[in-house]
Amino acid sequence: MKTPNILNSRKTPKTDLPVMLPFRYLDTGSTKGVYLSQWLSSTSPWSILLILAVILAWPLVAQAETSEYRNALTALGNWIPYLLKSGFTLNLLIAVVAMLVGTATGIALGSASLSSNYYLKSVANSLISIIRHVPWLVLLFVVSLSLPFEFDFDVILIILPSWFKASLALSLPVMVNVAVIVKEEVYSVNFNQWETAESLAFNPRQTLTHIILPQCYLSMIPKWLNLFVLITMATSLCSLIGIEEIVTLVHLAMEVETQIDYSVLVLPFFGFSLLVFLLFCFPIAKLATYLEHKHSISV
Amino acid sequence: MIETLVKFFDRLAVEHPQWDFIFFYSESQWLRLLSGIETTLLIAVAGVFLSVFLGVVGTFMLRSKRVWLWVPAKAYVETFCNTPPYLQLLFFYLVIAQITPTITAADGWTEIRLISNTGWVIIALAFYAGAINARIFWASIESVPQTTRDAADALGFSVVQSYKEIVLPLAFRVGLPAFTANLERLIKTTPYAIGIAVPELLYECRGIWNDYPGAMYPSLLVLFLSFAVLIGLIVKGMNQWSNAVRIRGIEG
């Protein structure tokens, strides 16, 4: 909340009369999709234990018989190493590759949208606004189905595995979000600094790399981490296009365990995959919120 | 004009089998695509109306001083804002839909659900977006300071008058950008309906490219462009609206 400063009020052109309280709802743009990580970091570690307790105490409230439920838990125990090793690792791989590709292209796109060249700027801006408005699931379908599964050059054969196509698809939303973050942060630095730098004979590129961007890095990192959490959670969508990540493998495991009733298996198996995602994202979300508070400029 | 286009796409399909825009020259597939777009729009429009209604009710309950009103509202908002929408959709469809009554059809033994799959998607999305709407409306009313209301009180405005003339016009302008973001989020969530086999745009496109393998690239292209255009137009219109009603100098 801006307090009216009597000493400065004559210098600044702003008027103090119509004061509104700050709008506390932070999520105004799609880059700030921080619900999930805000919620994750605001929950205590106890809530994860609570989920575990629900999973263990489920047969007491449901009709599932205790012995059968114990069998289901034993079955889950046998599956855990496989689910983690070949399932969740793939989720992480998809997320990390998507973040790497998306960040590199996103920084380039963001810089292009700040360019003084009119054509470059408008191409970059329209690319951002087009991709930003398409649902992630649609992007996943479009990119992974339209890319060929191999590129056959005469000298070399490049095979594109399906997980790589999925991470290319997920790198598109990362790209536009990183571009918007770069743009917003550069705009958030006081514009007078550009003029000052120009008077000190910096060229625009030098101004950007030496003066403006160093001020932005710290406040970009929490947003980037939020994006990482969102992408990691979104990798579970890949099960809809048949990539063998953790949700697909959980389905598979439940199909294989035919001697136990399906309704008994649902909670431990899906609860386990939920827990894995929460356990991975929780520390990252905590870190993001901590950094955001640490580097936020209090007004 | 249209005949020329139909002929063009017909010839394109013959010359380049990879680019078989089947829905542009085959009547039945065109109707299929249109019905997909129609269902997506139906879900979106019905979802918006229902979610605004839920948002308004939620805001009234959140602002109430009675415990039995604000506690359930708070619980609703926190739960639905913080769980993935796909999970909510599955919850509504797999859990709540099982306990709703069914009607026995004319043949005596077929049971028809009271609410169809499309209906459940509308309900699930409306509950999700309604929770976020309640948060937005609540935050925008809270952003009008108490002193402004006291001033209205001192000038002899009644409660209804001060809401109508002072609080709501200011709150509306503050909350509009967040509401636009929520609208965008609502439309972006509609493809999740493919999970419970609702014939919306993504579902119909998938059907078309499964039936006609040559139509895969064209239907992916049409799918991508329809969402980009639909959401782009809505967001642009809403942003213009919020710029038009903005009062300079009052925000924050």
Side-chain angles (χ1 to χ4, degrees), chain A residues 2 18-23 25 27-28 35-36 39 130 132-135 137-139 141-142 145-146 237 240, chain B residues 82 132 135-136 139-140 142-143 145 174 181 184-185 188 191-192 209 216-217 220 223-224 227 231-232 249-250 252:
Chain A
K2 219 176 274 180
V19 176
M20 290 277 278
L21 297 172
F23 183 67
Y25 184 88
D27 187 274
T28 45
Y35 280 136
L36 196 65
W39 172 74
I130 287 172
R132 217 178 157 185
H133 291 149
V134 178
L137 188 58
V138 171
L139 281 178
F141 266 95
V142 168
L145 291 181
S146 58
L237 285 180
L240 279 173
Chain B
N82 291 324
I132 302 172
R135 253 189 168 177
I136 294 171
S140 30
E142 285 291 300
S143 70
V174 174
E184 184 184 345
R185 190 180 297 118
K188 274 183 168 176
Y192 287 1
W209 83 63
M216 193 168 92
Y217 293 132
L220 286 173
L223 180 67
F224 182 86
F227 272 107
I231 301 178
I250 64 158

Side-chain angles (χ1 to χ4, degrees), chain B:
Chain B
M1 172 71 188
I2 291 172
E3 279 175 14
T4 332
L5 277 178
V6 167
K7 266 181 199 153
F8 169 75
F9 283 117
D10 209 353
R11 210 178 57 233
L12 188 72
V14 175
E15 285 167 7
H16 303 276
Q18 284 283 300
W19 291 97
D20 183 6
F21 282 86
I22 181 129
F23 33 78
F24 285 151
Y25 60 85
S26 157
E27 175 92 34
S28 59
Q29 302 307 314
W30 172 240
L31 290 178
R32 199 172 173 184
L33 187 72
L34 276 192
S35 82
I37 294 178
E38 221 169 79
T39 315
T40 297
L41 286 179
L42 173 74
I43 295 171
V45 171
V48 168
F49 279 106
L50 207 55
S51 70
V52 168
F53 172 73
L54 281 173
V56 171
V57 172
T59 314
F60 271 110
M61 288 170 73
L62 279 176
R63 286 187 61 78
S64 165
K65 296 235 165 39
R66 296 189 178 90
V67 175
W68 56 274
L69 274 179
W70 73 259
V71 168
K74 185 89 178 158
Y76 157 65
V77 169
E78 290 300 319
T79 317
F80 278 83
C81 280
N82 291 324
T83 45
Y86 189 57
L87 217 63
Q88 292 169 23
L89 180 64
L90 290 184
F91 172 74
F92 272 103
Y93 183 68
L94 298 176
V95 180
I96 309 281
Q98 301 303 322
I99 52 175
T100 52
T102 53
I103 306 167
T104 314
D107 59 4
W109 55 279
T110 320
E111 289 198 334
I112 303 170
R113 286 239 179 96
L114 210 58
I115 300 170
S116 66
N117 287 13
T118 318
W120 282 114
V121 170
I122 293 171
I123 291 172
L125 289 191
F127 267 87
Y128 170 59
I132 302 172
N133 271 346
R135 253 189 168 177
I136 294 171
F137 298 160
W138 179 82
S140 30
I141 290 178
E142 285 291 300
S143 70
V144 179
Q146 189 60 40
T147 46
T148 310
R149 285 177 212 194
D150 291 347
D153 207 18
L155 289 171
F157 280 73
S158 69
V159 175
V160 177
Q161 273 179 328
S162 84
Y163 263 92
K164 193 176 152 237
E165 306 285 340
I166 290 160
V167 177
L168 290 184
L170 287 173
F172 168 73
R173 288 166 168 80
V174 174
L176 203 54
F179 179 70
T180 308
N182 190 28
L183 196 63
E184 184 184 345
R185 190 180 297 118
L186 175 72
I187 303 173
K188 274 183 168 176
T189 321
T190 57
Y192 287 1
I194 199 176
I196 62 167
V198 170
E200 42 78 56
L201 187 56
L202 180 58
Y203 183 89
E204 293 291 1
C205 283
R206 193 175 66 169
I208 291 173
W209 83 63
N210 279 338
D211 292 351
Y212 303 92
M216 193 168 92
Y217 293 132
S219 30
L220 286 173
L221 187 70
V222 166
L223 180 67
F224 182 86
L225 287 183
S226 347
F227 272 107
V229 169
L230 178 68
I231 301 178
L233 282 181
I234 288 172
V235 169
K236 203 169 160 70
M238 292 293 284
N239 283 344
Q240 270 179 0
W241 189 24
S242 67
N243 277 337
V245 296
R246 204 168 123 223
I247 305 172
R248 287 196 173 276
I250 64 158
E251 51 264 50

Side-chain angles (χ1 to χ4, degrees), chain A residues 95-146:
Chain A
V96 168
V97 172
M99 283 309 281
L100 289 179
V101 176
T103 309
T105 46
I107 288 173
L109 191 66
S111 320
S113 72
L114 289 168
S115 153
S116 53
N117 183 337
Y118 174 77
Y119 296 104
L120 194 60
K121 193 175 163 178
S122 44
V123 164
N125 277 333
S126 44
L127 201 62
I128 290 174
S129 56
I130 287 172
I131 297 179
R132 217 178 157 185
H133 291 149
V134 178
W136 291 14
L137 188 58
V138 171
L139 281 178
L140 204 60
F141 266 95
V142 168
V143 173
S144 48
L145 291 181
S146 58

